[in-house]
Amino acid sequence: MNVMQADHISIVFGGLKAVDDVTIYAKKGELLGLIGPNGAGKTTIFNMLTGVYAPTKGSIAFVNNSGAEINIKGMQPYKVSRIGVSRTFQNIRLFKNLSVLDNMLISMHKDVGYSVFGAIIKSGRYLNIEKEFYDKAIKILQAVKLDGKKDEYAKNLPYGEQRKLEIARAIATGAEIVFLDEPAAGMNPSETEELADLIQILKNEYNLTIVLIEHDMKFVMKICQRIYVLDFGILIAEGVPKEIKSNPNVIKAYLGEEIE
Amino acid sequence: MELFIQQIINGISIGSIYALIALGYTMVYGIIKLINFAHGDILMIGAYVGLYCVLLFKLPLIPSIIIAMILCALLGVVTEKVAYRPLRNAPRIAVLITAIGVSFLLEYIMVYFFKANSRTYPTDFFSFGSANIAGITIPIDKMVVAGITIALMILVQIIIKKTKLGKSIRAVSSDRDAAQLMGISVDRAISFTFIIGSALAGVAGVMYGAMFTINPLMGIQPGIKAFVAAVFGGIGSIPGAILGGLLLGIIETLVSAYFSSSIKDAVAFAILIIILVVRPSGLLGKNVKEKV
Amino acid sequence: MIFDKKTRAKSSIKAIIVVCIIYAVMKILMLPQINVINPFYQTIVMKICIEITLALGLNLITGITGQFSLGHAGFMSVGAYTAAYIMLHWTVNLATIIISALAGGIVAGIIAFLIGIPTLRLRGDYLAIATLGFGEIIRILIQTTDKSFLGGAAGLSPIPIYSNFELVFIMAALCYVCINNILKSSYGRSMVSVREDEIASESMGVNITNVKLLAFVAGTFFAGIAGAMYSGYVGFIQPKDFGFMKSIEILMIVVLGGLGNIKGTVAATIILNIIGVILQDFAEIRMILYALLLIIIMIMMCGESPWIIKMRNMLNIKKFNFKGRGKAGA
């Protein structure tokens, strides 16, 4: 079953066609990679899939766990997030001046089940829901080994942990499909290895479909089940890691062509 | 018809003063992204300088204007150095609050030294009689205001477009870091922007003071109006400021002539809000979107 | 964090005791036999309570949610006029006082809602200017009303003097508790997240338009109530009392107390009013002092020059990060 289906999407900025007629899909529980040289349009595709940009052409649909197909074209990001689509950002967008725990709790605000008045009088519902949020946040933080730092400011975490917190925050929204924009950027080899394992664990534990953009080929080839390759806004290849590695178009895009 | 044409001329004269002030706003906004709240108060200082030139030294219009320009330019540079430069990389709102502080400071220092009561220029300082063109009586002082404004605007355009300093101002406005890497002195470009903007406010101050009355809080109203004009035309754009100022002046005079003078300010603010909501880049500005 | 009813009860009782102690101390100081707070100072105390409510409301909008509003005085005037109009037509008793105050808050909140929908999309300084414009439009519209309706430029009087120390004190205390509790809830966290990073919070499912509107309407609701109490405190209101300068004065309190810091807002209101009393015969000097404070605080807290950083380290001041500070609900 496809949980995400984007058909023939294109987007034009001014005169520039940043993404041209791209069709991609994700099956339930898949771990997809989206690779390509800088400026190929990878993040732009993420932005379209999460509602930040509306595609100029094409359609995007998600199928949630209850089987309903939802067309998200032109939907606002917060609504897209509410149907179970979440993401991280290339340039880390944590709430830097808030604690690790608050970062997590904000992701759950959409499920807030008490009113403002309930918050003011601290109603029974308020107590229950706050407790529920807290427990859920701690559980996810434990999975990424950040529960010991729950009261620290996000900005004070080391870089690698900030990346992990961003992933944890995306999962805390209750997402079914998560888009990770360069999760291993700026990490050293051992951190990257650890992250690869962590992503696998989280995917299985939370029953996620994951799509990730990454430049670290070792990382991508190791964990992704299927890979899309993008160059100049056009999809140039699709397949399992082995096929991608030997695809002449991909090699050309990354290394350039030899002039005879 | 005669009334209408006279109103248009009134509108152009007040509008050209707005345009002069709006130029300062727009240039400063263009270069350091600051709504310089104290700009209207520079105008007020200019008006006082002009007044004392007349009262103490009996100077005529043009020398008074030049002295006001020089002193206002100095004041502008000093406020920038002392209050805004330490906040060069601070959030925009922090600088905005500082600018509000500077505005209050100038106003109440003037209240302290010159008292809050309103004063007027001597009547012969700014009266040139009126001319009769094609059966329509046109006060010459209004034409003088428009004339001085147009001359100054051409001068500013030449400075910005043709001189090296103007080029550096444009470079810093479009990308401060890149300009710095190209060897442009950012501090000098910004200081120079404040010099031009404040000098224009000084001119506007003398003319505004001569047309109306002056007091230490007189800068607030024209200041806010000029800001509306700058936003109207597209903040950051110099032709936009001129167009916005003239249009605002004309709209305002027509509203007070044909409806009621008490709502003319409300109309100005309504225009501001409509522009901000519908087309924040203004009539001649360009649109910028935040990158994700 | 509070999760069970026992800790909730404990913290509520603690809050009630604190409020009662403050009230009792004030009351004792006001006794004619003791007369530390003489009738003149009593009016100052009432003014402080009204300004605390105003400033807390603005802090919710500007400090906590990060939406810069320069039209707060306009919303205060809506509350003030609504309540004054009601009290000029009804007999004064506790019920009508409460009704008129609530009406003031609600009308201000409704107007804020209508204004907020188009303008809260604007960012930072543009929003500041748009709210300034709306504040001025409200003032001008009241100014042009018919003399028999809202008094026009001449103002409304004589409004019965219905505010007293108890009323304004309870109002300020309730306002504090409300905002404090909102801050400790998911709503408070979502407000702070909007201030911190709109794009991230939107991607995490926060409806930022709703959150901004909530903060804006709640903040102006308190401004409206404070305005209502102000009417019954001065007995005479006119449009020019609620101009742009008044908005700036409230903003000044919020900035001096620390954006987003509600305890700081209370402290700043009290300190500025004490300064005001000391300098009551030198209004200009007071304003000069305020202006200097504003500039110096901004430079000290946000400045980047080496000597400022040195001073900051020497005085052990934390650098003020405008886009947010502190934990939500800590």
Side-chain angles (χ1 to χ4, degrees):
Chain A
M1 187 179 73
N2 290 353
V3 284
M4 180 269 291
Q5 178 79 45
D7 283 320
H8 306 288
I9 51 172
S10 302
I11 190 164
V12 180
F13 294 120
L16 177 82
K17 218 165 199 187
V19 173
D20 189 5
D21 196 32
V22 168
T23 298
I24 58 175
Y25 65 91
K27 285 191 223 132
K28 176 82 201 149
E30 220 175 2
L31 212 168
L32 274 186
L34 184 57
I35 64 170
N38 286 323
K42 305 180 295 290
T43 299
T44 308
I45 289 188
F46 267 30
N47 283 339
M48 286 192 278
L49 294 174
T50 54
V52 177
Y53 299 149
T56 323
K57 260 194 241 150
S59 70
I60 301 166
F62 287 97
V63 178
N64 62 15
N65 279 352
S66 46
E69 191 178 308
I70 301 154
N71 187 352
I72 70 131
K73 196 182 167 185
M75 213 184 241
Q76 282 169 295
Y78 81 91
K79 285 190 180 149
V80 176
S81 162
R82 286 174 186 204
I83 60 173
V85 179
S86 193
R87 71 175 295 180
T88 67
F89 295 89
Q90 194 175 345
N91 49 345
I92 306 189
R93 280 181 175 266
L94 286 170
F95 305 115
K96 293 192 191 66
N97 300 296
L98 299 188
S99 72
V100 168
L101 180 63
D102 281 338
N103 265 280
M104 300 293 289
L105 293 174
I106 285 162
S107 294
M108 301 179 211
H109 175 67
K110 63 198 176 67
D111 298 323
V112 64
Y114 55 86
S115 63
V116 180
F117 187 70
I120 291 170
I121 61 164
K122 296 196 173 155
S123 64
R125 260 183 101 80
Y126 162 87
L127 298 181
N128 292 339
I129 288 167
E130 284 288 302
K131 169 99 176 104
E132 190 187 301
F133 279 7
Y134 178 84
D135 291 342
K136 191 175 157 199
I138 292 295
K139 195 173 154 237
I140 301 171
L141 284 177
Q142 277 165 350
V144 296
K145 299 195 183 65
L146 282 174
D147 51 318
K149 294 189 168 181
K150 70 178 169 64
D151 293 323
E152 271 189 51
Y153 288 144
K155 65 177 173 195
N156 293 340
L157 294 182
Y159 193 77
E161 289 184 348
Q162 291 194 14
R163 287 257 177 229
K164 281 191 209 163
L165 175 57
E166 227 195 354
I167 297 172
R169 186 181 69 173
I171 292 173
T173 60
E176 290 160 16
I177 178 162
V178 179
F179 293 93
L180 305 178
D181 201 343
E182 300 196 18
M187 287 190 174
N188 64 34
S190 77
E191 282 175 322
T192 310
E193 201 138 314
E194 197 196 327
L195 180 74
D197 296 337
L198 180 68
I199 289 178
Q200 302 273 19
I201 293 168
L202 290 172
K203 178 171 108 64
N204 295 333
E205 193 170 333
Y206 290 94
N207 213 354
L208 302 169
T209 307
I210 292 177
V211 184
L212 56 85
I213 294 175
E214 188 47 67
H215 283 296
D216 184 335
M217 281 310 135
K218 221 176 112 198
F219 176 84
V220 175
M221 295 302 168
K222 183 180 164 196
I223 69 167
C224 291
Q225 295 159 345
R226 202 154 55 81
I227 296 171
Y228 286 106
V229 189
L230 211 62
D231 192 22
F232 292 115
I234 298 165
L235 206 57
I236 57 166
E238 182 216 329
V240 296
K242 220 171 167 183
E243 291 166 0
I244 295 296
K245 261 188 225 168
S246 55
N247 185 315
N249 283 336
V250 177
I251 297 167
K252 207 167 28 175
Y254 270 91
L255 302 176
E257 220 168 340
E258 241 176 279
I259 300 167
E260 299 279 323
Chain B
M1 193 60 200
E2 187 181 335
L3 179 72
F4 180 77
I5 290 173
Q6 273 172 350
Q7 292 302 343
I8 294 283
I9 289 165
N10 283 340
I12 289 173
S13 83
I14 185 77
S16 50
I17 289 184
Y18 289 157
L20 272 183
I21 316 169
L23 262 179
Y25 267 117
T26 228
M27 287 175 67
V28 167
Y29 192 90
I31 202 161
I32 56 172
K33 301 284 170 286
L34 162 70
I35 298 172
N36 186 9
F37 254 95
H39 197 62
D41 302 298
I42 305 265
L43 166 128
M44 175 269 295
I45 302 280
Y48 272 91
V49 171
L51 179 71
Y52 279 87
C53 284
V54 180
L55 292 183
L56 298 182
F57 309 111
K58 306 270 181 286
L59 291 177
L61 180 66
I62 299 295
S64 305
I65 283 182
I66 290 170
I67 292 174
M69 280 174 87
I70 294 168
L71 290 181
C72 285
L74 268 177
L75 182 64
V77 173
V78 170
T79 53
E80 191 271 324
K81 276 219 163 92
V82 175
Y84 306 145
R85 187 165 298 178
L87 295 168
R88 192 60 58 77
N89 296 313
R92 275 150 76 169
I93 292 298
V95 200
L96 181 69
I97 294 173
T98 311
I100 293 173
V102 172
S103 163
F104 269 49
L105 189 65
L106 293 177
E107 283 163 15
Y108 285 94
I109 286 177
M110 292 303 279
V111 172
Y112 184 74
F113 286 108
F114 295 91
K115 302 291 164 257
N117 46 341
S118 288
R119 312 176 59 170
T120 50
Y121 276 66
T123 42
D124 57 340
F125 175 70
F126 202 67
S127 65
F128 305 93
S130 54
N132 199 316
I133 301 169
I136 297 163
T137 323
I138 295 166
I140 294 181
D141 51 353
K142 301 266 152 74
M143 308 296 280
V144 170
V145 170
I148 291 177
T149 305
I150 291 165
L152 284 169
M153 277 168 187
I154 293 168
L155 186 68
V156 170
Q157 274 295 358
I158 291 171
I159 292 174
I160 296 291
K161 294 277 180 215
K162 303 282 180 207
T163 66
K164 218 172 156 188
L165 260 169
K167 229 179 240 172
S168 72
I169 289 177
R170 282 186 290 147
V172 176
S173 298
S174 86
D175 189 332
R176 190 189 301 165
D177 292 335
Q180 194 151 28
L181 290 173
M182 293 301 116
I184 291 170
S185 164
V186 171
D187 285 346
R188 247 183 64 195
I190 294 175
S191 293
F192 198 65
T193 309
F194 272 84
I195 287 177
I196 297 177
S198 306
L200 294 178
V203 183
V206 177
M207 298 197 294
Y208 194 84
M211 285 164 76
F212 305 102
T213 62
I214 73 174
N215 66 64
L217 304 183
M218 68 179 273
I220 300 173
Q221 275 300 328
I224 294 177
K225 291 288 180 52
F227 180 74
V228 175
V231 173
F232 194 11
I235 195 147
S237 145
I238 291 176
I242 299 167
L243 179 70
L246 290 175
L247 280 179
L248 184 70
I250 292 170
I251 293 171
E252 236 188 58
T253 20
L254 290 182
V255 167
S256 46
Y258 293 102
F259 296 96
S260 138
S261 66
S262 53
I263 61 157
K264 72 170 206 279
D265 292 354
V267 170
F269 289 117
I271 291 174
L272 170 76
I273 289 158
I274 292 167
I275 291 281
L276 284 178
V277 171
V278 178
R279 194 181 152 82
S281 51
L283 294 177
L284 302 180
K286 42 183 190 291
N287 223 334
V288 191
K289 213 178 167 189
E290 190 180 352
K291 212 175 165 223
V292 181
Chain C
M1 288 222 167
I2 304 171
F3 296 131
D4 60 290
K5 293 189 173 148
K6 220 168 120 191
T7 25
R8 176 180 67 180
K10 259 191 215 158
S11 76
S12 318
I13 290 168
K14 211 175 103 193
I16 291 169
I17 290 173
V18 170
V19 171
C20 288
I21 288 175
I22 297 172
Y23 176 75
V25 169
M26 300 301 285
K27 262 322 221 196
I28 290 167
L29 293 176
M30 282 179 195
L31 285 176
Q33 296 88 333
I34 296 173
N35 206 28
V36 174
I37 301 181
N38 62 31
F40 169 68
Y41 289 142
Q42 278 180 39
T43 63
I44 302 294
V45 171
M46 285 173 67
K47 182 165 164 267
I48 290 175
C49 289
I50 292 170
E51 285 183 2
I52 284 176
T53 314
L54 278 170
L56 283 175
L58 184 64
N59 202 352
L60 185 70
I61 300 168
T62 300
I64 292 158
T65 318
Q67 304 306 305
F68 227 74
S69 168
L70 288 179
H72 213 57
F75 297 111
M76 178 192 179
S77 74
V78 171
Y81 271 91
T82 308
Y85 186 79
I86 293 174
M87 294 316 262
L88 280 171
H89 292 82
W90 287 5
T91 49
V92 178
N93 59 42
L94 189 61
T96 53
I97 291 171
I98 291 173
I99 290 170
S100 69
L102 284 177
I106 290 167
V107 175
I110 290 171
I111 292 180
F113 182 78
L114 297 175
I115 291 174
I117 288 173
T119 50
L120 286 171
R121 295 186 294 132
L122 302 171
R123 246 170 253 272
D125 38 11
Y126 273 25
L127 177 67
I129 295 299
T131 46
L132 185 160
F134 269 116
E136 291 292 289
I137 289 177
I138 292 173
R139 185 178 61 81
I140 295 163
L141 287 183
I142 294 174
Q143 221 159 48
T144 54
T145 55
D146 194 65
K147 196 146 177 34
S148 58
F149 177 48
L150 292 178
L156 266 190
S157 70
I159 306 161
I161 304 292
Y162 53 81
S163 300
N164 57 26
F165 171 66
E166 277 74 20
L167 279 172
V168 292
F169 180 79
I170 291 169
M171 167 186 71
L174 278 179
C175 175
Y176 185 91
V177 170
C178 283
I179 290 180
N180 186 52
N181 287 3
I182 289 176
L183 263 183
K184 285 182 178 163
S185 75
S186 193
Y187 293 98
R189 290 190 293 265
S190 67
M191 288 171 187
V192 178
S193 82
V194 168
R195 174 189 69 193
E196 288 283 305
D197 190 331
E198 286 190 14
I199 289 173
S201 69
E202 216 178 359
S203 288
M204 294 305 122
V206 175
N207 183 345
I208 56 172
T209 317
N210 278 0
V211 169
K212 287 178 186 175
L213 264 179
L214 173 66
F216 197 52
V217 171
T220 49
F221 173 77
F222 289 118
I225 291 188
M229 284 294 135
Y230 178 79
S231 278
Y233 159 77
V234 288
F236 167 54
I237 51 174
Q238 50 180 348
K240 70 171 200 239
D241 299 342
F242 306 101
F244 162 61
M245 296 291 252
K246 182 76 191 172
S247 296
I248 300 279
E249 266 178 52
I250 307 165
L251 177 71
M252 196 131 58
I253 296 175
V254 175
V255 171
L256 294 182
L259 284 158
N261 182 344
I262 60 174
K263 283 197 185 90
T265 300
V266 176
T269 318
I270 295 169
I271 291 168
L272 287 184
N273 269 289
I274 290 173
I275 295 175
V277 171
I278 294 169
L279 295 176
Q280 56 180 315
D281 297 326
F282 310 96
E284 306 89 55
I285 293 186
R286 195 190 74 183
M287 294 310 286
I288 292 172
L289 194 72
Y290 283 2
L292 281 174
L293 265 178
L294 211 53
I295 299 169
I296 291 168
I297 285 183
M298 277 301 123
I299 292 179
M300 287 309 294
M301 289 197 150
C302 303
E304 304 269 338
S305 311
W307 66 270
I308 296 172
I309 295 169
K310 224 185 200 166
M311 286 275 278
R312 205 155 44 212
N313 293 339
M314 224 165 70
L315 300 169
N316 203 13
I317 305 170
K318 253 207 331 252
K319 184 170 178 228
F320 189 87
N321 188 319
F322 235 88
K323 294 193 92 187
R325 53 178 301 187
K327 285 190 288 181

